Amino acid sequence: MTQARAPQSDGPAGSGQGPAADLRHRAESAASRFPPLLVRAQQLAGSVLLGEHGRRRAGMGDDFWQYRPVQAGDSRRMIDHRRSAKGDQQFVREREWQIAQTVHLWVDQGASMRFASTPALPQKIDRARLLGLAASVMMLRAGERVGLTGGRLPPRRGNAQILRLADALSLDDDGDYTPPEDRAMLPHARVLFLSDFLGPFAPLEQALAKAADRGVHGVLMQVLDPAEEEFPFDGRTIFESVGGGVRHETLKAGALKQRYLDRLAERRDALDHLCRAAGWRLGTHHTGDSAQAALMWLFHAMERSGS
């Protein structure tokens, strides 16, 4: 997803001069820097009623959890000066509720996600990015700290973090399949993974095993194109990966349908078993279905994953 371009200047004629024109020009220039993805995510998030946030419960927030080094985005009042005075590094005293309100996000940006069976449908990556960013907007508004897995964008609060997330999610990966990023997950945080999960299974098993060891719970959202669910192919068909690395031609595509559907069912069963074992939740979304309904399910699933 590319960023919107700044509009061309109207020139010196007409309304091109004066304070009002200058204000309009600066406003248009600022708006042009907002990725279209962010605009759509903000609109989608705003269409879903939040209701009462499930983390606001009596009795939480008093238990000390751990000291950690100061990160970008931490306010000065969070610094524990007594602990920091023991060395050259500054530390933050984290409490249990602060860990519980941390969310890590991973969106598969591999080439396999850049698939849409018809021009009328969004690519899987477009829908995954939209859902991931809209869910982040909602969680940030509810007081959560949200960031990306891997440490590239540490969890923070605030509107500036939404812009950082939008920029990071607008990048593509060259590989057909990208493994889930499992580094830098804070203990007892929550995680949201969005992907088609059709690539190698071992990296996903490793990521959830590592999460389980750190007391991390979360949600897997499998995003599929309707054609990947129905396999509506027959006769002579050429199957080619989006990245061009795999190509298969057959004269009897219909004969492959049952074998394909069986493999898809096996993968979904494996995902379900993996999530149950790790204490995670599994959801499936088709790009032809409502993004609003998927976002509502995602948000509530993320809240329950932290319970």
Side-chain angles (χ1 to χ4, degrees):
M1 182 65 65
T2 58
Q3 293 190 357
R5 294 172 179 248
Q8 298 294 319
S9 171
D10 293 334
S15 60
Q17 297 177 351
D22 180 63
L23 176 61
R24 187 194 65 152
H25 176 72
R26 287 189 287 113
E28 289 175 344
S29 297
S32 71
R33 293 194 293 269
F34 282 74
L37 169 65
L38 176 56
V39 176
R40 292 188 293 121
Q42 294 271 25
Q43 292 172 342
L44 179 59
S47 70
V48 176
L49 180 64
L50 287 180
E52 184 178 359
H53 187 241
R55 290 252 155 239
R56 294 172 183 165
R57 303 181 204 167
M60 297 190 68
D62 294 331
D63 294 332
F64 168 74
W65 178 252
Q66 65 179 6
Y67 290 111
R68 65 164 175 81
V70 171
Q71 298 175 348
D74 291 335
S75 64
R76 299 183 67 87
R77 61 184 176 82
M78 296 173 62
I79 297 174
D80 188 288
H81 296 286
R82 179 175 296 180
R83 173 64 179 84
S84 301
K86 297 180 180 180
D88 296 329
Q89 192 172 13
Q90 291 182 318
F91 287 87
V92 167
R93 180 184 177 93
E94 282 195 322
R95 299 184 185 277
E96 188 174 6
W97 71 273
Q98 292 174 317
I99 295 294
Q101 288 186 320
T102 297
V103 179
H104 297 283
L105 173 68
W106 175 75
V107 176
D108 185 350
Q109 304 194 84
S112 74
M113 294 291 288
R114 299 194 290 272
F115 172 73
S117 57
T118 71
L121 292 172
Q123 293 182 0
K124 293 184 292 182
I125 194 168
D126 185 47
R127 182 56 59 85
R129 286 167 169 165
L130 177 62
L131 291 175
L133 187 56
S136 298
V137 169
M138 295 175 69
M139 289 185 285
L140 284 164
R141 288 178 180 174
E144 312 280 7
R145 296 187 306 173
V146 182
L148 299 179
T149 55
R152 181 161 54 101
L153 183 58
R156 299 186 183 99
R157 294 187 177 92
N159 291 328
Q161 185 72 344
I162 298 175
L163 287 169
R164 299 185 193 103
L165 287 165
D167 286 339
L169 293 179
S170 297
L171 304 175
D172 289 333
D173 194 284
D174 294 333
D176 278 341
Y177 301 101
T178 56
E181 177 59 81
D182 58 12
R183 294 173 300 162
M185 291 188 291
L186 292 176
H188 301 279
R190 288 170 296 149
V191 177
L192 172 58
F193 284 174
L194 293 112
S195 172
D196 56 14
F197 300 113
L198 297 179
F201 199 67
L204 181 61
E205 289 182 304
Q206 175 182 315
L208 264 67
K210 185 173 181 178
D213 289 343
R214 299 175 69 83
V216 172
H217 296 282
V219 174
L220 297 186
M221 172 64 87
Q222 186 180 36
V223 180
L224 296 175
D225 185 277
E228 293 175 315
E229 193 78 63
E230 301 162 1
F231 199 85
F233 308 106
D234 201 7
R236 182 176 180 271
T237 307
I238 299 175
F239 297 98
E240 186 174 14
S241 63
V242 177
V246 178
R247 189 176 188 274
H248 176 72
E249 181 176 353
T250 179
L251 297 176
K252 299 179 179 179
L256 301 175
K257 181 173 183 175
Q258 193 56 52
R259 289 169 56 191
Y260 169 83
L261 293 178
D262 289 344
R263 291 289 298 274
L264 182 63
E266 289 174 5
R267 174 54 61 98
R268 188 161 291 154
D269 287 344
L271 289 171
D272 182 66
H273 177 76
L274 184 62
C275 286
R276 289 178 182 273
W280 285 43
R281 297 177 184 272
L282 173 65
T284 301
H285 173 67
H286 302 125
T287 55
D289 294 340
S290 165
Q292 185 181 40
L295 177 59
M296 187 174 296
W297 182 90
L298 258 184
F299 185 76
H300 290 298
M302 286 295 293
E303 284 203 318
R304 291 194 297 269
S305 71
S307 301

